[in-house]
Amino acid sequence: MSTLQAVRGMHDILPEDMPYWARLEQTLRDLFDAYGYSEVRLPIVEKTELFLRSIGEVTDIVEKEMYSFDDRNGESLTLRPEGTAGSVRAGIEHGLVQPQQTHKWWYSGPMFRHERPQKGRYRQFHQVGIEVFGLEGPDIDVELILLTRRLWQMLGLSTVVQLEINTLGSPESRHTFRQLLVDYFSAHRDRLDEDSLRRLERNPLRILDSKNPDLKDLIEGAPRLHDSLDDESRAHFAQLQAMLAGAGVAFVVNPHLVRGLDYYNRTVFEWKTDRLGAQAAVAAGGRYDGLVAQLGGKSVPAIGCAFGMERVVALLQDLGVAPAVAQVDVYVVLAGDAAVRVGFQLTEAWRDAVPGLRMVVNCGGGSFKAQFRRADRSHARWAVILGEDEVQKQVITLKPLREQGEQRQVAWMMVGATLKSLCG
RNA sequence: GUGGCUGUAGCUCAAUAGGUAGAGCACAGGAUUGUGAUUCCUGGUGUCGUGGGUUCGAUUCCCAUCAGCCACCCCA
């Protein structure tokens, strides 16, 4: 094995994987078109400060997972660990995110987090994200969930994903609740495990999500977020649930569903699967009504969500949802020097005559046997044979590879028209 | 970041109580010097992840390191 290898956690996506990716990407594109969302393409590198101010300085992402480096002028830059911060920055910078205005964006691209790699968890991974600015009602929350549900339907994944929702309340109510939790768990500090003690300092809400069975009783006795909710958030969440139920969306309210990024408030949701081990979340999102103002813009409500592309692809592969094999119409067998000499002149003329013709021209020589083997493996429907005899007679031999039938000869002048009728 | 498992041909995997390695698939050529299945024959598949150590000798034992995977953690 060579000493040259990809950087840890940064994987190659090879031709055999691409049909799954292509199908997912095309499905998403169609979906966004259907719902009226616009694509944006934003930089992969942003100022480090942007992520400190949005994601939160005491989050895992910011504290230990960011790829940060100094630019040549000494400014600290970071490979984006997620897409929302850059979207908000762009929206503010271009004056697009304004009160009373709605923008519905989507983007796609690589994200970077320095985590310990596992299947479905990479240091460079790909997300498709949605960001909606300017809508504060639960209706847009529902739309994002419906859009996502439709994606699972289109991909045939509906049976392996489940929706969980929760509300985090307003920043104020969340803050109040956080303090109640800290007080409660601090009073029972001796019963907490190591992880939870650490969480107590950094993200006390996470203790509620602990998998340690020893803490079950303690957690059940803890204050409940829903008791601290402000009335507006409570109403928002109630409407959300009513609308989801009305739209026939199956969901589970998980009061322990907490997001790891500080900017979320009110609605949060997560689509989970049990097919990917510990990497259960395949898509997740929530409201971030305070973020635009927090980053210097006007006060504009917003909501977003993101899909983990590798994880969705893994589900597609896991379920054996076989993508269509790439179709080839014609494989051109070129045998002998004379055929190779006139080969491209002819094949280019056929491409002119039949736009969109999917034609593979044999390169690299080889015996008839070898070339036919390649033709077969290309899944071509037809073989066009050009050998010494054909060049001499100015014809090609046309042979069906996928169906019964005799091969026949076609004069050079007629090949374009013939291919057009067969493959056009 | 913590704990654990794994690392041999392009792929899936064997083997050697330390003496430098095989099988299937795949690939190439031929039987069929102008025709893709099957069959038969032939062929190379290789720094045994990398670097040290022990040893006359290490793919095998030890250490380190790199990578993948599993759980935790975290998250998409």
Side-chain angles (χ1 to χ4, degrees):
Chain A
M1 192 164 295
S2 166
T3 54
L4 279 179
Q5 49 186 278
V7 173
R8 181 151 141 103
M10 304 203 178
H11 65 136
D12 300 310
I13 300 166
L14 299 173
E16 62 180 347
D17 303 314
M18 280 313 298
Y20 295 95
W21 284 81
R23 174 163 175 224
L24 174 56
E25 288 167 5
Q26 189 57 51
T27 303
L28 281 162
R29 196 170 280 278
D30 292 345
L31 196 60
F32 292 135
D33 282 348
Y35 279 79
Y37 286 66
S38 306
E39 184 178 7
V40 293
R41 298 197 178 183
L42 304 174
I44 289 171
V45 177
E46 297 274 0
K47 293 179 185 174
T48 300
E49 183 194 0
L50 172 65
F51 301 115
L52 300 184
R53 286 175 54 186
S54 55
I55 297 170
E57 299 201 31
V58 294
T59 57
D60 275 22
I61 291 177
V62 167
E63 283 190 339
K64 52 192 189 190
E65 294 179 0
M66 294 208 301
Y67 280 91
S68 298
F69 59 96
D70 285 343
D71 198 0
R72 288 178 182 276
N73 62 8
E75 183 170 50
S76 181
L77 304 180
T78 294
L79 267 40
R80 63 182 182 195
E82 57 97 51
T84 297
S87 299
V88 172
R89 190 228 83 225
I92 296 170
E93 182 170 340
H94 300 287
L96 295 169
V97 177
Q98 301 285 348
Q100 318 305 330
Q101 287 187 24
T102 300
H103 295 276
K104 298 182 175 181
W105 287 0
W106 72 273
Y107 58 82
S108 171
M111 308 292 165
F112 301 83
R113 292 182 201 173
H114 189 100
E115 297 183 280
R116 182 114 160 211
Q118 253 174 264
K119 197 186 204 74
R121 185 213 264 184
Y122 302 95
R123 290 184 175 180
Q124 175 177 330
F125 60 103
H126 297 79
Q127 281 188 348
V128 164
I130 308 171
E131 314 291 349
V132 177
F133 299 104
L135 295 171
E136 63 182 343
D139 49 356
I140 187 62
D141 306 15
V142 173
E143 177 171 286
L144 287 197
I145 289 169
L146 290 175
L147 185 156
T148 309
R149 178 179 69 163
R150 186 168 295 276
L151 176 69
W152 309 136
Q153 289 169 348
M154 293 168 83
L155 295 174
L157 298 178
S158 298
T159 58
V160 296
V161 293
Q162 297 86 38
L163 174 65
E164 293 187 0
I165 64 172
N166 191 25
T167 182
L168 300 177
S170 66
E172 297 75 28
S173 66
R174 189 180 168 193
H175 183 78
T176 305
F177 174 64
R178 183 189 160 108
Q179 196 53 52
L180 286 173
L181 265 191
V182 171
D183 293 345
Y184 173 80
F185 284 117
S186 295
H188 299 88
R189 184 177 276 273
D190 53 318
R191 293 175 61 188
L192 292 177
D193 59 13
E194 198 179 322
D195 276 334
S196 295
L197 283 171
R198 194 169 43 79
R199 291 178 182 127
L200 186 58
E201 307 297 324
R202 300 155 43 116
N203 192 350
L205 275 63
R206 275 243 170 258
I207 301 175
L208 300 174
D209 214 7
S210 175
K211 290 173 186 165
N212 186 343
D214 297 341
L215 297 178
K216 196 161 175 254
D217 291 345
L218 186 64
I219 288 169
E220 280 179 4
R224 294 173 185 279
L225 173 60
H226 289 219
D227 296 335
S228 298
L229 281 183
D230 55 293
D231 291 342
E232 286 184 4
S233 293
R234 203 185 302 273
H236 187 107
F237 195 48
Q239 288 177 51
L240 171 72
Q241 293 181 64
M243 292 170 85
L244 286 175
V249 178
F251 63 89
V252 172
V253 176
N254 175 0
H256 298 332
L257 180 64
V258 174
R259 314 267 59 235
L261 293 77
D262 279 357
Y263 51 65
Y264 285 110
N265 70 293
R266 283 197 183 158
T267 306
V268 293
F269 61 93
E270 202 167 287
W271 288 91
K272 291 184 173 174
T273 181
D274 57 7
R275 300 296 185 100
L276 298 179
Q279 277 56 251
V282 292
R287 300 202 67 92
Y288 49 94
D289 295 321
L291 186 58
V292 176
Q294 186 183 323
L295 291 179
K298 308 235 175 75
S299 181
V300 175
I303 182 170
C305 74
F307 305 85
M309 300 287 277
E310 278 83 356
R311 292 178 185 182
V312 179
V313 166
L315 283 180
L316 291 173
Q317 292 177 327
D318 187 49
L319 291 183
V321 182
V325 176
Q327 291 297 309
V328 174
D329 297 318
V330 177
Y331 191 100
V332 182
V333 171
L334 296 176
D337 292 343
V340 171
R341 261 197 302 280
V342 296
F344 280 128
Q345 187 186 333
L346 293 170
T347 56
E348 286 303 303
W350 302 339
R351 289 189 201 279
D352 291 339
V354 189
L357 177 67
R358 291 166 297 192
M359 176 168 65
V360 175
V361 181
N362 186 76
C363 287
S367 63
F368 267 82
K369 187 187 180 74
Q371 293 199 37
F372 267 92
R373 201 159 43 219
R374 291 175 202 153
D376 188 43
R377 283 175 199 158
S378 76
H379 300 104
R381 290 169 56 207
W382 303 88
V384 165
I385 305 155
L386 190 65
E388 305 274 341
D389 296 349
E390 284 87 354
V391 172
Q392 205 160 39
K393 292 197 270 182
Q394 306 228 325
V395 298
I396 55 98
T397 299
L398 183 66
K399 173 177 174 161
L401 295 176
R402 300 296 140 198
E403 34 206 272
Q404 299 298 320
E406 293 297 305
Q407 63 186 43
R408 59 191 156 112
Q409 295 199 324
V410 179
W412 283 358
M413 284 183 59
M414 300 302 296
V415 174
T418 303
L419 291 179
K420 192 160 193 170
S421 69
L422 291 174
C423 315

